Amino acid sequence: MLSRTAENLYWLARYVERAEYLARTIDATLRVTALPAAYIGKTNEWDSALLTAGVAESFYRSHEEANEHNVVDYLSFSADNPSSIRNCIEAARLNSRSVRTALTSEMWDTINSAWIELQEVWSKGTSTREELAKFLRFVQETSLRFDGSAYRTMLRNDAYWFSRLGLHLERADNTARILDVKYHVLLPEEEHVGGPLDFYQWSSILRSVSALTAYHWVYRETLKPWLVADLLILNGTLPRSLASCYDNLVRNLDQIGVAYGRQGPAQRHARGIRNRLEHSNMNDIFQHGVHEFIQEFIADNSRLGEIITKQYLI
Amino acid sequence: MAVAFDEMNIPGGDLRPAYQELARWLKETPPEALEYRRQEAELLFRRIGITFAVYGESESTERLIPFDVIPRIMSGKEWTVLEKGLKQRVKALNMFLRDIYHGREILRAEVVPDDLIFQNPVFRPEMNGQQVPHDVYVHIAGIDIVRVDAEDFIVLEDNARTPSGVSYMLENREIMMRLFPDLFARHRVAPVERYPDELLAALRSVAPHSASGEPTVALLTPGVYNSAYYEHSFLADKLGVELVEGRDLIVKNNEVFMRTTEGLKRVDVIYRRVDDDFIDPLTFRPDSVLGVPGLMSAYAAGNITLANAVGTGIADDKAIYSYMPDIVKFYLGEEPILKNVPTWRCREPKDLAYVLDNLSDLVVKEVHGSGGYGMLIGPAATKATIEAFREKLKREPEGFIAQPTLALSTCPTCTATGLAPRHVDLRPFVLTGSKSTTIVPGGLTRVALKEGSLVVNSSQGGGTKDTWILDE
């Protein structure tokens, strides 16, 4: 297929995934901030929402302080924030138009209809919590529909695999970022500080990656930072975990390699990361430092993006 | 102006035969039901994303072309005549182009004046003596036809560069079949859905001799901001070929390749929807980023087929148009089946004098204009506009032609106040391959939605209709 088509598919999937992740982040933040101060202490959750979205620096260039109003606006509707939900959807739709021939009609319909519907939200914003909640739900549903349409209607060929690469690379990045921002609450078991603050922080982490219920099914325990980290980093059964994203990345790259009859640096690099995750346990990770581990992972993950681009997309 | 020919009703109250079933159906169908279907159709167009961009407005502006749910119907007999005339005309167009870029017999015979060719900005000296694969220049032609009475179809314009609109012909039919299955059940409408297959077959048939057994075809678009981008992606999809932009292509050793995830892949035939001027910055406009550097040398080396060929603009130029009847006679020795609109060439002093004296009755067009821009419609224009045009004409007479205002036929059309007659034209699409010429029955009917208006161009607010050729 055309390199540009593959590139568009890859970025299309990334944008849709990112829009969903931003919607989840805002949703989770709203929940935490709705708690009485006694439960959440003095931390500014809106600051950490900006950090996990990776836009704190650009935000503070035009804003004095982070509060619900301006952060929600910046992350959802701002045309100036290149990775606002709005710009993600706009970019996804533009990419979809450029590769319409590679999309199934269900995928195009999902993106185009969402884009049409959201035009009104962009122009008006949301004035109540209900409207905001409806909007966030709509974005998440759009992503689910898009993902589901791709899964159910696309031919299993390179077009599908490249879009899956974008999806899993972006998902791994999102999960790693949220872990990194919250790493200070992911302390080793023996230094457990406990208390309601941590509990709500952890549950908000899990909620933002839609894994709160999963946690209980897997561990059948109250929330413990150690286990939260284990779930999100190493547990291959959780679709958003780093391990699971890399299982998929390795598989999709292998499928491309087989179809094209050629392996390359992307396949090797992805396998390297997967193997490291496979042979790690939480003990080692805490020994090494959670923050350091995640920083390295984020760098490795984005390096994979560059290698894929060089090998296939340009 | 004469009373327009009504495609549905014979003066005095009788129906023309092709419309009898439709009339019966309309009588049974309440106006609300029509309005409801109209809205449904609009929603479908919007969701599928069948839009076009309007130049001069912001880049994100995408408009729907209004769609009228009342079909325009023609009998099979009428179509047979039209089809024959179209094939004849396109055959002559191709022979004319081959001649102009090679022997120039028609110029030596003084049928067409030299300067109309050599001083014409759309003439491409780069094509002189250039062999094009299988001698086909106009692979895809969109001939604009109007009807003025029961017998006569008149050619308004020959589009031999990159005629657009075929996606509307196909989508209009799809949407009509979805919304009005019962109406179809009562007619035998000749299908148009073969068009993409026939287009692909035609394109493959003209592959250069250096192509491998299965020639690779690609469709070249200027990109998502082009007004016809929807059509480009739609056709690429239906044809099952790559939709490429200039940046996806590269020329190496006079061969054209596309950049793919598996490396470079040779391309043999390009259905290009990029104009001559922009196709190769090394040969034409150096500032263009839409084209492919070196494409023309690959073309000259015979390693790529461009459809339509470069330089075809000389055949659909409005200055050449008035010579078409003579061109048909010259190459085929036959009388033209389709008529021309009587045309005054303002470059000729006698014609200019007549035109200047009768501006308020005439339509004056720029020789190189398109899309309904820059024309004067005398009967509808204010005095001031007419005077302004008079000055333009005097200053640059060779830039204009004039025609009588035709009474374009009308078809019943949904309007805010119910069904009413509106003027229509028709653009059938003629495909020429190495062996045969084909036309799917029908074409794109464009309709002027404003009462009395004769302007059917989509850029000027015209709409479209499904076109039914009855299979009798």
Side-chain angles (χ1 to χ4, degrees):
Chain A
M1 73 191 309
L2 281 184
S3 298
R4 183 172 52 82
T5 307
E7 188 191 13
N8 276 320
L9 285 165
Y10 167 87
W11 279 104
L12 168 58
R14 287 196 75 157
Y15 286 127
V16 173
E17 181 68 18
R18 190 175 298 174
E20 181 194 342
Y21 172 72
L22 287 167
R24 286 188 184 285
T25 302
I26 296 169
D27 211 19
T29 310
L30 283 168
R31 274 174 178 276
V32 173
T33 56
L35 291 167
Y39 288 85
I40 54 166
K42 282 195 195 113
T43 52
N44 183 350
E45 277 302 316
W46 293 111
D47 254 334
S48 80
L50 289 169
L51 282 170
T52 48
V55 295
E57 209 179 300
S58 65
F59 175 86
Y60 280 111
R61 250 178 262 141
S62 50
H63 297 79
E64 291 276 302
E65 54 143 26
N67 56 43
E68 174 177 336
H69 175 74
N70 61 19
V71 173
V72 166
D73 185 69
Y74 194 72
L75 293 182
S76 303
F77 311 120
S78 171
D80 304 328
N81 169 12
S83 47
S84 65
I85 293 177
R86 170 190 186 154
N87 280 328
C88 284
I89 301 279
E90 293 276 354
R93 200 246 177 191
L94 187 62
N95 273 337
S96 299
R97 275 192 86 207
S98 327
V99 293
R100 272 186 71 152
T101 53
L103 297 183
T104 62
S105 56
E106 288 84 355
M107 293 164 79
W108 163 254
D109 188 55
T110 302
I111 285 293
N112 193 44
S113 305
W115 180 80
I116 291 167
E117 189 141 332
L118 288 172
Q119 293 302 307
E120 206 179 323
V121 185
W122 305 151
S123 60
K124 285 201 228 135
T126 52
S127 50
T128 63
R129 277 266 178 136
E130 280 80 25
E131 275 176 32
L132 178 59
K134 195 173 145 217
F135 162 73
L136 296 174
R137 206 163 48 239
F138 180 77
V139 173
Q140 292 175 47
E141 276 165 9
T142 297
S143 166
L144 285 174
R145 261 187 75 195
F146 185 76
D147 196 23
S149 310
Y151 185 73
R152 297 182 71 141
T153 60
M154 277 183 98
L155 290 176
R156 289 331 192 236
N157 58 15
D158 45 2
Y160 181 74
W161 299 321
F162 278 110
S163 77
R164 292 282 120 170
L165 287 183
L167 172 93
H168 290 113
L169 207 86
E170 180 69 24
R171 194 174 279 177
D173 184 65
N174 293 161
T175 299
R177 274 175 196 285
I178 195 163
L179 279 167
D180 194 39
V181 171
K182 309 277 180 176
Y183 82 95
H184 56 275
V185 295
L186 291 169
L187 298 169
E189 200 163 29
E190 47 276 25
E191 293 173 38
H192 186 164
V193 286
L197 166 59
D198 292 342
F199 177 85
Y200 288 108
Q201 292 274 12
W202 303 325
S203 72
S204 95
I205 297 176
L206 289 172
R207 226 184 267 285
S208 61
V209 293
S210 181
L212 187 55
T213 315
Y215 177 94
H216 293 296
W217 276 104
V218 174
Y219 301 102
R220 303 188 182 277
E221 283 226 41
T222 54
L223 291 184
K224 287 183 177 150
W226 182 276
L227 296 178
V228 171
D230 181 65
L231 180 67
L232 294 184
I233 298 173
L234 300 178
N235 192 311
T237 61
L238 181 81
R240 287 189 169 270
S241 71
L242 305 186
S244 166
C245 289
Y246 265 81
D247 283 346
N248 281 300
L249 284 165
V250 168
R251 183 174 330 117
N252 294 143
L253 280 166
D254 281 347
Q255 283 165 320
I256 294 170
V258 169
Y260 293 175
R262 223 183 310 175
Q263 303 264 333
Q267 280 80 6
R268 285 194 290 278
H269 187 74
R271 228 174 279 134
I273 300 176
R274 201 255 325 254
N275 292 346
R276 222 168 315 134
L277 288 166
E278 232 169 41
H279 296 114
S280 299
N281 60 55
M282 280 322 292
N283 242 331
D284 301 340
I285 292 175
F286 276 115
Q287 288 299 318
H288 181 67
V290 179
H291 178 61
E292 287 70 20
F293 177 86
I294 293 171
Q295 284 290 318
E296 283 162 23
F297 176 84
I298 290 176
D300 272 346
N301 188 53
S302 100
R303 177 99 189 93
L304 178 62
E306 289 160 22
I307 296 172
I308 290 173
T309 302
K310 215 167 137 205
Q311 190 172 332
Y312 294 112
L313 309 182
I314 53 173
Chain B
M1 200 165 83
V3 176
F5 174 73
D6 186 326
E7 304 231 358
M8 184 165 178
N9 303 293
I10 297 169
D14 282 349
L15 286 162
R16 299 187 60 245
Y19 280 87
Q20 275 168 1
E21 199 55 50
L22 177 71
R24 218 169 298 156
W25 182 85
L26 282 171
K27 219 176 258 169
E28 297 161 13
T29 307
E32 308 85 70
L34 272 185
E35 172 57 21
Y36 174 70
R37 301 268 171 79
R38 191 192 64 73
Q39 287 174 8
E40 231 179 321
E42 193 179 307
L43 193 72
L44 281 170
F45 275 97
R46 173 86 57 196
R47 278 183 73 125
I48 305 173
I50 311 176
T51 58
F52 76 111
V54 182
Y55 290 123
E57 298 184 17
S58 87
E59 280 181 342
S60 60
T61 309
E62 289 168 33
R63 279 220 218 131
L64 286 184
I65 295 184
F67 174 67
D68 184 64
V69 294
I70 309 295
R72 183 244 191 105
I73 309 179
M74 268 159 111
S75 73
K77 229 192 270 155
E78 290 169 323
W79 174 253
T80 308
V81 177
L82 201 49
E83 191 181 24
K84 238 172 110 187
L86 288 165
K87 285 186 177 170
Q88 180 196 49
R89 187 138 175 143
V90 170
K91 193 170 174 197
L93 280 172
N94 271 310
M95 292 175 82
F96 173 68
L97 280 159
R98 153 125 191 116
D99 188 27
I100 285 302
Y101 291 114
H102 291 87
R104 297 186 182 139
E105 282 162 35
I106 198 163
L107 302 186
R108 270 186 278 137
E110 295 184 358
V111 175
V112 174
D114 282 17
D115 65 315
L116 271 192
I117 307 295
F118 299 125
Q119 289 176 27
N120 201 317
V122 293
F123 172 70
R124 300 288 174 210
E126 295 83 357
M127 293 299 289
N128 287 338
Q130 158 94 52
Q131 186 71 33
V132 308
H134 307 275
D135 280 338
V136 183
Y137 284 79
V138 183
H139 309 83
I140 301 112
I143 311 289
D144 290 345
I145 306 271
V146 298
R147 180 168 202 179
V148 290
D149 59 44
E151 305 300 324
D152 283 326
F153 292 97
I154 295 186
V155 175
L156 204 56
E157 208 172 296
D158 301 286
N159 294 289
R161 287 173 239 198
T162 51
S164 63
V166 77
S167 57
Y168 289 93
M169 171 181 90
L170 296 166
E171 289 284 31
N172 287 355
R173 177 62 53 84
E174 283 298 312
I175 284 179
M176 285 296 282
M177 293 186 92
R178 248 166 104 165
L179 295 180
F180 300 97
D182 49 334
L183 191 55
F184 274 91
R186 294 158 75 155
H187 290 85
R188 297 178 70 83
V189 181
V192 291
E193 67 197 36
R194 279 199 333 264
Y195 181 85
D197 285 354
E198 292 188 358
L199 174 58
L200 185 62
L203 292 170
R204 285 209 168 131
S205 76
V206 292
H209 300 295
S210 62
S212 55
E214 270 290 281
T216 302
V217 179
L219 197 156
L220 177 64
T221 174
V224 286
Y225 295 117
N226 184 267
S227 68
Y229 178 76
Y230 169 74
E231 173 149 309
H232 306 161
S233 68
F234 172 88
L235 279 177
D237 200 18
K238 297 280 173 200
L239 260 53
V241 305
E242 294 290 358
L243 177 64
V244 299
E245 296 179 18
R247 56 189 159 132
D248 298 319
L249 299 178
I250 185 169
V251 177
K252 275 192 174 173
N253 303 323
N254 284 337
E255 289 182 82
V256 184
F257 296 90
M258 52 187 176
R259 294 176 221 269
T260 79
T261 48
E262 294 173 85
L264 297 180
K265 182 168 188 221
R266 181 176 144 132
V267 180
D268 304 304
V269 180
I270 297 179
Y271 175 20
R272 49 95 174 211
R273 297 293 295 262
V274 172
D275 294 338
D276 287 355
D277 276 342
F278 301 96
I279 207 161
D280 181 351
L282 298 183
T283 305
F284 303 114
R285 285 178 59 155
D287 58 332
S288 168
V289 291
L290 302 176
V292 187
L295 186 59
M296 285 301 284
S297 23
Y299 195 37
N303 285 333
I304 187 85
T305 298
L306 297 177
N308 290 346
V310 173
T312 54
I314 195 67
D316 69 15
D317 190 77
K318 290 193 181 70
I320 300 296
Y321 165 85
S322 62
Y323 296 91
M324 270 312 285
D326 306 319
I327 290 173
V328 171
K329 268 180 259 174
F330 181 79
Y331 292 109
L332 303 175
E334 299 167 4
E335 280 303 311
I337 298 166
L338 300 175
K339 289 186 186 155
N340 255 27
V341 186
T343 301
W344 289 276
R345 303 162 182 150
C346 299
R347 65 199 299 275
E348 293 172 16
K350 220 171 58 196
D351 285 18
L352 177 65
Y354 177 85
V355 171
L356 289 173
D357 284 346
N358 294 281
L359 272 182
S360 57
D361 298 325
L362 300 175
V363 176
V364 187
K365 294 176 179 171
E366 281 179 27
V367 169
H368 305 301
S370 71
Y373 293 99
M375 56 193 275
L376 172 79
I377 301 175
T382 64
K383 270 212 168 108
T385 317
I386 289 179
E387 288 318 307
F389 237 87
R390 186 186 305 281
E391 290 313 307
K392 269 208 252 180
L393 269 174
K394 283 187 191 157
R395 229 179 300 134
E396 196 211 341
E398 65 284 358
F400 296 90
I401 54 154
Q403 295 169 336
T405 43
L406 291 183
L408 305 196
S409 64
T410 60
C411 273
T413 299
C414 285
T415 72
T417 52
L419 287 190
R422 290 290 183 266
H423 297 292
V424 293
D425 79 350
L426 175 66
R427 177 178 290 180
F429 296 90
V430 186
L431 295 174
T432 307
S434 63
K435 298 234 159 54
S436 62
T437 301
T438 56
I439 315 172
V440 296
L444 177 67
T445 289
R446 298 184 298 177
V447 52
L449 293 172
K450 263 186 266 164
E451 190 174 357
S453 169
L454 293 169
V455 184
V456 295
N457 292 80
S458 49
S459 44
Q460 309 283 316
T464 68
K465 281 171 173 289
D466 193 10
T467 311
W468 291 9
I469 308 299
L470 297 188
D471 207 9
E472 291 142 328

